[in-house]
Amino acid sequence: MTAMQGEDATPFLRWIGIVLPGFLIWGAHFGLVYGYVAVACTLDAGVGGTQAAVALATLAALLLIAGLFWGFVIRPGSRFNAGPATRFSRRLAWATALLSGGSVLLTALPALIFPGCA
Amino acid sequence: MSFPNPTPRPEGELEQLKRIWRPPSGLGFLTVVNNTYIGLFYVGAAVMFFVLAGILALIMRTQLAVPDNDLVSDGLYNQLFTMHGTMMMFLFAVPAVEAMGVYLLPNMLAARDLPFPRLSAFAFWAYLIGGSVFFLSIFWGLAPDGGWFMYPPLTSIEYSPADNADFWLLGIGFIEISAIAGAIEIVCGVLLTRAPGMSLDKMPVYAWAMLVFAGMIIFAFPAVILATLLLELERAFGWPFFIPGQGGDPLLWQHLFWFFGHPEVYIIFLPAAGMVSMIVPTIAQKPLVGYRLVVLAVIGTGVLSFGLWVHHMFATGLPQLSLSFFSAASMAVAIPSGIQIFAWIATIASGKVRLTTPSLFILGFLFIFTIGGLTGVMVAMVPFDWQAHDTYFIVAHLHYVLIGGMVFPLFAAFYYWVPVASRRALSEKVGRWVFGLMFVGVNVAFFPMHITGLIGMPRRVSTYPADLGWGDLNMVSTIGAYLIGAGVLLFLIDVARNFRITSADNAGNVWNAPTLEWLPNDNYATRSIPIVASRDPLWDQPGLAEDVEAGRYYLPNAPTGYRETIVTSPVTAEPRYIVQIPGPGWFHVLAAAFTAACFLLLTVKLVTPAIICGVLAVFFVLAWAWQLDPGPTHPPVDIGGGLKLPVYKTGSGSHSWWATICFLLVAGTTFLCMIFSYLFLWLSNVGDWPPAGTALPALSWASGSAALYLASALLAWGASRTLAAGRLWTSQGLLLLGALPALCGALGVDGWGFWQAGLRPQDHAYGAAVYTILCLTGVFAFTLAIFTPFLTLRAAFGRLDTARRASFDVGLLLFYYTAGQALVGLLLTHGFPRAVG
Ligand code: HEM
Ligand SMILES: [Cu+2]
């Protein structure tokens, strides 16, 4: 075993960057949708437009998650597949993708089904 | 198998290790920093606050036992439940799990100590002193009485003119700072000081849980710190953040508070669940089922819990649509919790469980927590919440979740891990009684409250009339509360009889557990630092304990003559360098004492003594920092197996770099919350932002100040380059005479621009928000105004040069961050109103 004296924080940051984006996208989607609705309701924008915007944001979030995971995890020859501790990170990445995709849907569905500002 | 180091070890090596790591004796013992002592004190203090808050609960239950009771006055009752709730949440729950982490993590990761032992000691002292004074305030009638979440306008100066609310605000703000210090320590400890070979996929679930826990503290606590800051600014200086007549909005408090408050529940739950994930495999004598899924669940819980934010405000009239998002997100977090519960049950089912005391507490936890979860789903349904809101149903739900989710796992952990810290294990016989009393007690006390709630008894009332028929159920609850009290008392007796603190001759691996904290240890932790090849090393690596104890693994000695441990890489845990760890000292103790004194004196508005204490606190922090950053004092050392490691490391990836980054994440989150507050206040003042009659300063003010901020960052960068090139004094000149004045000047221009335009913080929430944004940058400018000369002083005394620059790098990061934050602030305060107006 040789000491990795030159190692800085990048491998870890890359690791985080692969495992967490699903959640980050969910967070952004959540914040965007909520913020958008709060603003739209305050400013009395139309309900139909709100719904369309929510649907659009959701679609974008799901596509983004799928795209990222294809690029990083599934695509043969992705840089990620060469690193250490890979199998574990790979599975974790898969699972975060599924969980965050599900969460995005779960956040969006009620907004699409029960529209309107109280 | 060949080991890194040959045996027998040379004469005198063990004695040297012992001597270096020995805690000081006599009065000097107060300066101890070893995690095995600080961790225990910390746990002890948390248990003390648990008992005190429990006594307050018993007084409340005694008052409520019969109708029309007048044992406790209305006002005192308000103080009692506020203090009970606040102490349980802030002085017991979070510190208790953090304390367990400080004690357990280094042992579990086979590090000799945490990387910043004085920081955890500081966090402990600050917590103990601050918490005690906070508790004592109830005896002077100064205790806060606004409920543990302190909603304004109830807590604004108009309705709470006395000092009580200030006590809550400053006391809590202060305790949070100690929690954040501990969290930074934990992140660095888990990422950097794991045993060689313990890559992330072999890390104990508890370490994962603590890593996520600490991350959540870093992202959640800033919200409540900002909230307390805003409310205190309003109370002390009349900056109207929450006063509707002046553009403020009380809902802002609720958003900020619950942005922290909801994760708080999981902040408490995750470490407890992490403990359960360690105990369950041992009691089943089988590896944890679904390790990967559990890790994923831990990370997922951490992230998703932030989304639950607004569900506590179902009853406050948010737009219906937004509410439905949050209710959906509440459901989402149930999934990861469920995954963990299934993993535990599957593990238990795969082995043969002996009903020891820890197992009983685990089973009790599963039962109580599940009931709490079910009633939680009921509470999360929006219409149901309308009815149950503010009744005893909520009190019942909250205690089932908190006691089930946190107190029971904690007691399981006490009984389970005491043999690591004590010469004798606790008594199994007594333990069963403790469990029985607590389990029966909790159900007898809190189950009936579901019913009292549903038949309409509101929470937070000091008494109720007899003719409502609530008397019998309340009497039952009170009896249950006393049963819990008896259980806790019995536990304390057990501890007094059997707990004998030791490090050298502990009771040993009595449960046949698989993880590293059960290796033979002493003040220096393990004799040598093992190479880990499995998730359950003590089960899968036969002879490990013996080989570690014989010194066959890494670093069986103290080659530099100081306290030291191995820093490994965050993902794969390969050894990178040796870090020299500071030993005992007075400065961090004094810094904690004066910080606490400063905050508490401010609370009672003794401004001059408070300032004196503040100055002293800063002085002692600097004195403490003076001793840090030892520099490359020693050539690379051989830790065994031909591995030569450097003794000093700077730059990205070093432990001080990680700690600074964590701190900047805290700062950045605080600032983000402030941006949120600004935008939120705008939403309540659409079309009137800035309010009529207020002018924005001309854009030239913004561009001038932006140019200066940029200049300060560039000059700091230049200072770093020149330092790297070996021109120490040019570098110091650039920093002290260039970057610092540019930063202060920029802030001055920025602030003066608004002031000369006639904006005043007291007039309207708009002005208050703008000046708070400026103040948040001001805090950093102030810090750097102290820190930069401090660096120059270090340079003058030969403590800073091209090689020895860890402290310089901290300053550099601060300069970059401050400039970045200020530029975002400029964009917001100048750009946003122009964009929307
Ligand atoms: C050990 C037994 C305990 C008993 C007998 C007990 C009893 C009580 C009582 C009587 C109240 C006041 C209810 C009201 O008037 O509205 C209360 C409130 C509360 N308790 Fe406990 N409690 C216990 C443990 C805990 C624990 C372990 C925690 C947290 C970790 C906790 C957190 C709270 C909170 C947050 C409140 C709400 C305070 C407020 O309304 O502002 N309690 N408890
Ligand atoms: Cu909640």
Side-chain angles (χ1 to χ4, degrees):
Chain A
M1 201 191 311
T2 50
M4 304 173 60
Q5 292 169 13
E7 187 192 291
D8 52 18
T10 21
F12 181 71
L13 294 183
R14 191 188 306 150
W15 190 85
I16 289 207
I18 286 156
V19 174
L20 282 185
F23 289 130
L24 295 183
I25 293 169
W26 171 76
H29 169 259
F30 190 96
L32 255 173
V33 168
Y34 172 65
Y36 180 80
V37 170
V39 172
C41 284
T42 313
L43 301 181
D44 280 332
V47 169
T50 315
Q51 243 171 323
V54 171
L56 212 68
T58 309
L59 202 67
L62 290 176
L63 281 177
L64 210 59
I65 291 177
L68 271 180
F69 280 84
W70 189 82
F72 276 126
V73 186
I74 306 174
R75 187 172 57 87
S78 87
R79 194 142 151 233
F80 177 50
N81 286 327
T86 324
R87 247 170 40 128
F88 177 71
S89 317
R90 227 181 129 83
R91 291 190 190 175
L92 217 56
W94 264 100
T96 49
L98 290 178
L99 188 64
S100 45
S103 306
V104 165
L105 273 181
L106 212 64
T107 312
L109 275 182
L112 295 171
I113 298 169
F114 317 107
C117 313
Chain B
M1 140 156 214
S2 72
F3 294 101
N5 278 303
T7 41
R9 303 299 307 158
E11 196 74 24
E13 196 180 78
L14 183 63
E15 285 64 36
Q16 190 198 18
L17 260 183
K18 275 198 161 80
R19 180 164 41 73
I20 288 173
W21 288 90
R22 191 172 45 219
S25 53
L27 187 63
F29 192 60
L30 291 179
T31 68
V32 69
V33 292
N34 303 35
N35 79 293
T36 38
Y37 291 96
I38 289 295
L40 281 185
F41 297 168
Y42 212 153
V43 175
V47 170
M48 175 184 85
F49 285 120
F50 171 66
V51 170
L52 292 175
I55 292 173
L56 300 184
L58 287 183
I59 300 176
M60 283 191 283
R61 279 317 321 171
T62 313
Q63 159 71 13
L64 292 173
V66 290
D68 298 315
N69 200 353
D70 58 2
L71 175 74
V72 170
S73 73
D74 237 26
L76 180 58
Y77 190 88
N78 288 349
Q79 293 192 351
L80 283 173
F81 73 69
T82 304
M83 285 298 274
H84 165 77
T86 305
M87 288 179 67
M88 283 292 189
M89 299 304 271
F90 291 101
L91 295 188
F92 163 63
V94 176
V97 288
E98 193 156 317
M100 290 296 279
V102 168
Y103 183 82
L104 286 174
L105 279 174
N107 294 333
M108 204 178 270
L109 307 174
R112 294 214 185 279
D113 205 327
L114 288 163
F116 307 101
R118 287 187 183 171
L119 187 65
S120 30
F122 172 84
F124 161 71
W125 287 110
Y127 155 69
L128 180 68
I129 300 170
S132 304
V133 178
F134 181 68
F135 172 71
L136 292 177
S137 69
I138 199 167
F139 296 109
W140 292 303
L142 283 178
D145 51 10
W148 85 277
F149 36 75
M150 299 292 284
Y151 281 173
L154 231 61
T155 46
S156 66
I157 196 88
E158 190 183 344
Y159 297 95
S160 309
D163 286 343
N164 305 31
D166 303 294
F167 249 99
W168 194 95
L169 292 169
L170 288 172
I172 291 313
F174 176 63
I175 287 155
E176 322 256 63
I177 289 170
S178 115
I180 287 178
I184 293 177
E185 171 85 303
I186 286 172
V187 170
C188 295
V190 171
L191 288 180
L192 299 176
T193 61
R194 302 199 302 273
M198 191 191 274
S199 48
L200 284 181
D201 55 324
K202 297 193 187 69
M203 193 160 94
V205 175
Y206 179 70
W208 273 108
M210 291 309 288
L211 182 62
V212 174
F213 158 86
M216 289 172 75
I217 288 195
I218 287 175
F219 288 113
F221 276 37
V224 75
I225 290 185
L226 182 71
T228 46
L229 177 74
L230 298 187
L231 186 51
E232 196 50 44
L233 283 174
E234 177 179 303
R235 293 179 53 88
F237 304 113
W239 297 19
F241 294 102
F242 308 106
I243 302 173
Q246 289 174 268
D249 190 341
L251 268 181
L252 174 60
W253 171 272
Q254 306 195 15
H255 277 291
L256 289 176
F257 187 85
W258 288 113
F259 185 73
F260 137 85
H262 202 93
E264 162 96 342
V265 174
Y266 293 89
I267 285 175
I268 296 169
F269 169 65
L270 270 185
M275 293 172 186
V276 175
S277 289
M278 302 305 286
I279 301 173
V280 161
T282 302
I283 61 179
Q285 292 289 304
K286 287 277 184 220
L288 184 69
V289 171
Y291 171 87
R292 290 182 190 83
L293 275 179
V294 172
V295 169
L296 174 71
V298 167
I299 300 176
T301 312
V303 178
L304 297 177
S305 64
F306 282 92
L308 299 196
W309 179 19
V310 190
H311 91 162
H312 287 276
M313 297 181 300
F314 279 151
T316 54
L318 283 173
Q320 189 60 37
L321 182 52
S322 335
L323 283 185
S324 52
F325 295 141
F326 289 107
S327 150
S330 314
M331 306 285 180
V333 89
I335 300 169
S337 306
I339 291 177
Q340 295 188 66
I341 293 184
F342 281 120
W344 297 324
I345 292 177
T347 310
I348 290 176
S350 74
K352 238 176 93 182
V353 172
R354 276 176 46 231
L355 283 186
T356 55
T357 308
S359 351
L360 286 173
F361 272 106
I362 298 277
L363 295 176
F365 146 72
L366 285 172
F367 178 82
I368 296 175
F369 187 67
T370 307
I371 294 189
L374 291 179
T375 53
V377 173
M378 295 165 75
V379 176
M381 310 240 203
V382 183
F384 184 84
D385 204 36
W386 276 94
Q387 285 162 27
H389 191 77
D390 280 346
T391 70
Y392 259 83
F393 191 90
I394 295 284
V395 178
H397 159 66
L398 164 157
H399 285 90
Y400 264 84
V401 171
L402 290 171
I403 296 183
M406 189 264 159
V407 177
F408 271 60
L410 192 66
F411 272 76
F414 287 159
Y415 274 91
Y416 178 73
W417 272 300
V418 155
V420 175
S422 157
R423 213 162 284 151
R424 284 204 296 271
L426 295 181
S427 157
E428 273 296 304
K429 217 164 77 196
V430 178
R432 274 157 221 268
W433 276 97
V434 174
F435 168 75
L437 283 168
M438 287 180 67
F439 183 74
V440 173
V442 167
N443 288 294
V444 171
F446 294 106
F447 197 81
M449 288 187 192
H450 290 112
I451 306 167
T452 34
L454 287 177
I455 60 179
M457 178 163 166
R459 62 191 286 199
R460 297 178 169 181
V461 289
S462 65
T463 191
Y464 48 91
D467 55 6
L468 289 174
W470 299 342
D472 296 342
L473 285 168
N474 270 293
M475 179 52 100
V476 173
S477 284
T478 301
I479 293 172
Y482 275 93
L483 288 179
I484 306 174
V488 174
L489 186 66
L490 199 59
F491 167 75
L492 294 177
I493 294 173
D494 195 6
V495 169
R497 284 187 46 218
N498 287 314
F499 191 85
R500 294 293 172 268
I501 179 170
T502 180
S503 37
D505 53 347
N506 65 17
N509 193 353
V510 294
W511 315 106
N512 185 28
T515 38
L516 300 179
E517 74 274 22
W518 298 97
L519 287 171
N521 63 45
D522 200 329
N523 285 325
Y524 48 78
T526 52
R527 174 65 201 278
S528 57
I529 297 180
I531 302 171
V532 172
S534 138
R535 240 171 248 156
D536 300 307
L538 290 187
W539 286 349
D540 300 342
Q541 294 174 249
L544 186 67
E546 196 189 312
D547 296 328
V548 163
E549 181 68 352
R552 294 191 182 107
Y553 281 102
Y554 287 132
L555 200 70
N557 45 13
T560 71
Y562 287 97
R563 298 184 177 202
E564 56 207 10
T565 196
I566 304 177
V567 170
T568 50
S569 59
V571 178
T572 49
E574 286 165 59
R576 293 167 57 210
Y577 65 98
I578 297 286
V579 55
Q580 293 180 321
I581 301 178
W586 278 106
F587 292 141
H588 63 275
V589 182
L590 292 170
F594 284 110
T595 316
C598 169
F599 271 73
L600 294 162
L601 286 167
L602 269 185
T603 315
V604 289
K605 314 232 158 49
L606 293 174
V607 178
T608 314
I611 291 177
I612 295 174
C613 287
V615 170
L616 284 170
V618 170
F619 172 79
F620 285 116
V621 168
L622 289 177
W624 164 18
W626 185 257
Q627 299 178 333
L628 300 178
D629 190 11
T633 52
H634 198 279
V637 295
D638 192 334
I639 62 165
L643 205 56
K644 257 193 165 18
L645 297 186
V647 177
Y648 182 67
K649 175 104 169 64
T650 56
S652 82
S654 69
H655 55 289
S656 61
W657 183 88
W658 275 101
T660 313
I661 291 294
C662 289
F663 169 72
L664 292 180
L665 284 175
V666 172
T669 313
T670 314
F671 193 68
L672 268 182
C673 291
M674 189 57 222
I675 294 181
F676 167 82
S677 307
Y678 179 95
L679 295 174
F680 185 83
L681 288 169
W682 163 69
L683 261 189
S684 351
N685 293 280
V686 178
D688 193 25
W689 192 264
T694 315
L696 279 170
L699 269 181
S700 52
W701 290 97
S703 42
S705 133
L708 280 171
Y709 282 128
L710 276 176
S712 83
L714 276 174
L715 286 163
W717 177 78
S720 165
R721 295 304 297 253
T722 42
L723 182 61
R727 306 212 310 271
L728 174 64
W729 287 105
T730 318
S731 152
Q732 280 304 315
L734 283 173
L735 206 62
L736 186 68
L737 305 175
L740 182 62
L743 178 62
C744 297
L747 187 65
V749 172
D750 197 356
W752 182 248
F754 282 101
W755 189 266
Q756 59 81 34
L759 188 66
R760 296 292 177 273
Q762 299 88 349
D763 296 344
H764 190 273
Y766 168 76
V770 168
Y771 282 107
T772 310
I773 289 173
L774 285 166
C775 286
L776 289 182
T777 305
V779 171
F780 278 92
F782 181 73
T783 310
L784 282 169
I786 295 172
F787 194 70
T788 314
F790 171 78
L791 288 178
T792 310
L793 209 60
R794 280 188 77 100
F797 280 83
R799 288 175 165 257
L800 191 160
D801 55 44
T802 304
R804 187 179 180 181
R805 57 174 289 171
S807 50
F808 177 89
D809 288 337
V810 172
L812 184 67
L813 284 173
L814 286 179
F815 268 108
Y816 289 163
Y817 172 81
T818 313
Q821 171 181 306
L823 287 171
V824 175
L826 277 178
L827 205 64
L828 184 70
T829 51
H830 286 268
F832 183 78
R834 288 190 166 85
V836 300

